């Protein structure tokens, strides 16, 4: 195993890269999680009525 | 036409033993038994801010007040034998004013704000039946006003705006979040929240009548549909994003992402009351959310963490440290803090809808962005481990951690500026050349900051960001959504031509400050 000190650092690198990086595939549990997450906004029922007249009255004991 | 009932102007010392209860509210609130809590709240805030003088004067001379009463009177038949109204403006000052004519000497900093109360008596009625706070303009509560605005500890505001109030002909300006109360007739809480939001985020002085005219509603009003709310927002040149958060504790993260991105939200929750329309539906109330508080000493995020994400990529939402959202409730008044546990206290009072008000709606939800970010971060860091070295680089690439994730919607230009200005804890910084690949990013993106609990709470700092498309055609295609990643020493950005991820060096080698869209005062 290479010593970590052999690796380039940002300060010592010569910027001869960019280097292509492979993106790993999500694991099975990650795929399940992503499928269960609402990625797209909505949908919603446009006709749901909210915020009717207030029923708050002056509170008394 | 309604009769404009005389209001006698007065300048009144309101320090102890003056009673806002008996000497003010009892006198100016004419419709007995109606909800005067908002005026109590405004007086409470003025008292806490050190009010010493109030100036009372007729308000029906103001065009927008006159217009409001016209609309109300028309609903009751109006005409020659219209109703009667009196409108009074109540201006609060934190200095003594003894002479009615000396307002010219009063500094603007002494002005605490203004409330306008409208009392209305319908035709044929002997009594006032409607009283409400037509508008209330106060600055956010502050600890000290000596050096300008200093918000309360750890209060973060997504938006506020300068408002001008006239007191005896002299304009006073105040920075704040506009407040108004519904009158339950020509407008309800949905109207009030839309007015509050628009008058805080835009230069438009949106009125309830404009809302009703746009939607073709003839008062009395029975609430607005979600579609109508969205229509009003879009008519103002903005866009709305509606999220159903019923039975979903993630509503805290959704709200957090909206206000941390500098946007406002309407939060709709059930009340347990049956809707007037019947059919067993619960009535739902709307409040305006314009900010949050954060408790960096909060115990539970680390002691009894509720991790989000899949087992292989768990994370801590940054919202776990948010302990309140800052809200205006038209029924209760302005500048309340809604505890994050508040909507768990009563099974009938539960969050249901969140409506984000943005310049442009997104094609990927904040929760989706956070989910993809934790997966990408978890999977990418080990892959990148051989590419560089450094204290923080090694720390995060050689061992998996459960990161704190904070999800912000922002422009590419703001992101580049943010990184250009970022300075590491070790004083390192990215160079212009290193930031060049970021110009290939789309115009708008989700930036999901990742941090560790101690850095997040102590340094208010992060280790990097995951970058994701805000407007993807196919949010399910995470290869398409994933735009890049920055961590100490490295920048990974997608090449738009080849769709490959290209890794380059970045001289920013340590943790750096979190991005700020909100305004805050004293922080801990």
């Amino acid at each position: 195993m290479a010593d970590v000190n052999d690796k380039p650092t940002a300060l010592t690198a010569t910027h001869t890269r960019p280097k292509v990086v492979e993106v790993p595939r999500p694991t099975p549990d990650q795929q399940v999680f992503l499928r269960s997450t609402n990625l797209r906004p909505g949908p919603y029922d446009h006709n749901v009525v909210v915020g009717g007249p207030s029923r708050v009255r002056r509170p008394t004991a | 036409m309604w009769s404009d009932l005389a209001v006698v102007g007065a300048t009144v010392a309101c320090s102890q033993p003056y009673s806002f209860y008996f000497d003010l509210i009892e006198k100016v609130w004419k419709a007995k038994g109606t909800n005067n809590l908002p005026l109590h709240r405004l007086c409470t805030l003025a008292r806490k801010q050190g009010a010493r003088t109030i100036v009372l004067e007729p308000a029906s001379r103001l065009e927008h007040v006159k217009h409001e009463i016209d609309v109300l009177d028309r609903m009751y038949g109006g005409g020659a034998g219209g109703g009667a109204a009196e409108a009074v403006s109540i201006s609060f000052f934190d200095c003594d004013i003894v002479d009615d004519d000396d307002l010219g000497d009063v500094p603007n900093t002494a002005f605490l704000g203004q409330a306008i109360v409208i009392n209305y008596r319908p035709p044929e009625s002997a009594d006032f039946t409607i009283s409400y706070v037509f508008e209330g303009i106060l600055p956010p509560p502050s600890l000290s006003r000596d050096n300008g605005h200093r918000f309360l500890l750890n209060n973060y505001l997504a938006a506020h705006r300068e408002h001008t109030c006239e007191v005896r002909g002299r304009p006073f300006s105040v920075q704040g979040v506009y407040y108004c109360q519904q009158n339950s007739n020509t407008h309800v809480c949905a109207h009030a929240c839309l007015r509050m939001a628009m008058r805080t985020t835009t230069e438009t002085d949106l009125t309830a009548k404009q809302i009703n005219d746009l939607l073709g509603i003839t008062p009395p009003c029975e609430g607005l549909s979600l579609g109508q709310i969205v229509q009003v927002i879009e008519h103002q040149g903005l866009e709305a994003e509606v999220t159903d958060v019923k039975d979903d504790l993630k509503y805290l993260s959704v709200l957090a992402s909206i206000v941390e991105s500098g946007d406002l939200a309407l939060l709709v929750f059930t009340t347990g009351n049956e809707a007037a329309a019947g059919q067993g539906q619960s009535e739902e109330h709307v409040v305006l959310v314009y900010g949050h508080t954060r408790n960096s000493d909060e115990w539970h995020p680390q002691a009894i963490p509720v991790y989000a994400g899949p087992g292989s990529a768990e994370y801590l939402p940054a919202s776990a440290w948010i302990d309140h959202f800052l809200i205006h409730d038209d029924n209760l008044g302005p500048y309340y803090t809604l505890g994050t546990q508040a909507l768990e206290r009563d099974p009938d009072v539960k969050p249901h809808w969140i409506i984000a008000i943005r310049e442009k709606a997104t094609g990927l939800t904040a929760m989706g962005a956070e989910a993809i970010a934790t997966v990408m971060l978890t999977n990418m860091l080990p892959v990148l481990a051989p590419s560089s070295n450094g204290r923080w680089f090694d720390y995060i690439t050689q061992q998996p951690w459960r990161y704190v994730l904070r999800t912000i919607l922002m422009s590419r230009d703001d992101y580049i500026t943010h990184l250009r200005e970022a300075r590491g804890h070790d004083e390192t910084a990215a160079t212009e050349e290193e930031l060049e690949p970021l110009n290939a990013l789309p115009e708008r993106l989700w930036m999901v900051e990742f941090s560790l609990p101690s850095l997040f709470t102590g340094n208010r700092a992060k280790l990097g960001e995951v970058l994701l498309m805000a407007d993807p055609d196919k949010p399910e295609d995470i290869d398409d959504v994933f735009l890049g990643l920055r961590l100490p020493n490295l920048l990974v950005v997608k090449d738009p031509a080849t769709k490959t991820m290209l890794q380059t060096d970045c001289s920013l080698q340590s943790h750096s400050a979190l991005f700020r869209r909100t305004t805050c005062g004293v922080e801990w």
Side-chain angles (χ1 to χ4, degrees), chain B residues 2-24:
Chain B
W2 52 280
S3 305
D4 186 3
L5 302 176
V7 171
V8 179
T11 301
V12 182
C14 63
S15 297
Q16 189 182 358
Y18 183 86
S19 168
F20 282 129
Y21 264 81
F22 302 110
D23 299 325
L24 181 68

Side-chain angles (χ1 to χ4, degrees), chain B residues 126-140:
Chain B
D127 301 315
F128 288 96
T129 58
I130 297 171
S131 292
Y132 61 104
V133 176
F134 169 60
E135 62 183 17
I137 301 173
L138 266 72

Side-chain angles (χ1 to χ4, degrees), chain B residues 4 16 19 21 83-84 107 170 184 218 270 288-289 293-294 312 315 341 375 404 432 476 497 513 516:
Chain B
D4 186 3
Q16 189 182 358
S19 168
Y21 264 81
R170 150 113 193 251
S184 300
T218 303
T270 58
L288 174 71
V289 183
T293 67
R294 182 184 295 132
S312 64
Y315 70 96
Q341 312 292 313
V375 168
V404 179
E432 268 313 309
E476 298 80 12
R516 303 295 188 98

Side-chain angles (χ1 to χ4, degrees), chain A residues 4 7 9 13 17 19 38 51, chain B residues 274 284 365 388-389 503 505:
Chain A
V4 291
K7 296 190 293 183
T9 69
R17 291 175 278 188
K19 174 184 162 190
N38 287 329
Chain B
E274 187 172 324
E284 303 198 337
T365 62
S388 186
N389 72 16
Q503 162 201 311
D505 295 313

Side-chain angles (χ1 to χ4, degrees), chain B residues 1-2 73-74 76-83 123:
Chain B
M1 178 61 186
W2 52 280
D73 192 52
R74 271 202 296 276
Y76 276 95

Side-chain angles (χ1 to χ4, degrees), chain A residues 3-11 13-27 29-30 33-34 37-59, chain B residues 29 33-36 182 184 188-189 221 223-227 230 242 274 283-284 309-312 331 353 362 364-365 368 371 375 379 383 385-389 394 434 475-476 478-479 501-503 505-506 509:
Chain A
D3 189 314
V4 291
N5 293 323
D6 294 333
K7 296 190 293 183
T9 69
L11 290 184
T14 56
H15 293 281
T16 52
R17 291 175 278 188
K19 174 184 162 190
V20 174
V21 186
E22 289 300 321
V23 179
R25 306 307 309 156
T27 60
D29 75 317
Q30 292 170 355
F33 171 68
L34 290 171
T37 303
N38 287 329
L39 301 176
R40 290 175 186 269
Y44 65 96
D45 182 350
H46 289 230
N47 298 314
V48 171
V49 175
V50 300
S54 170
R55 293 162 188 260
V56 178
R57 308 292 292 173
R58 183 183 300 190
Chain B
W29 200 268
T34 58
N35 175 24
N36 60 13
Q182 65 175 298
S184 300
V188 293
C189 64
C221 301
L224 299 181
S225 70
L226 293 175
V230 171
V242 181
E274 187 172 324
E283 193 172 79
E284 303 198 337
S312 64
N331 277 338
W353 305 98
T362 62
L364 171 67
T365 62
V375 168
N379 297 348
V383 172
S387 301
S388 186
N389 72 16
D394 293 343
E434 290 166 349
E476 298 80 12
I478 62 171
D479 287 333
M501 302 303 295
L502 300 178
Q503 162 201 311
D505 295 313
C506 180
Q509 299 191 57

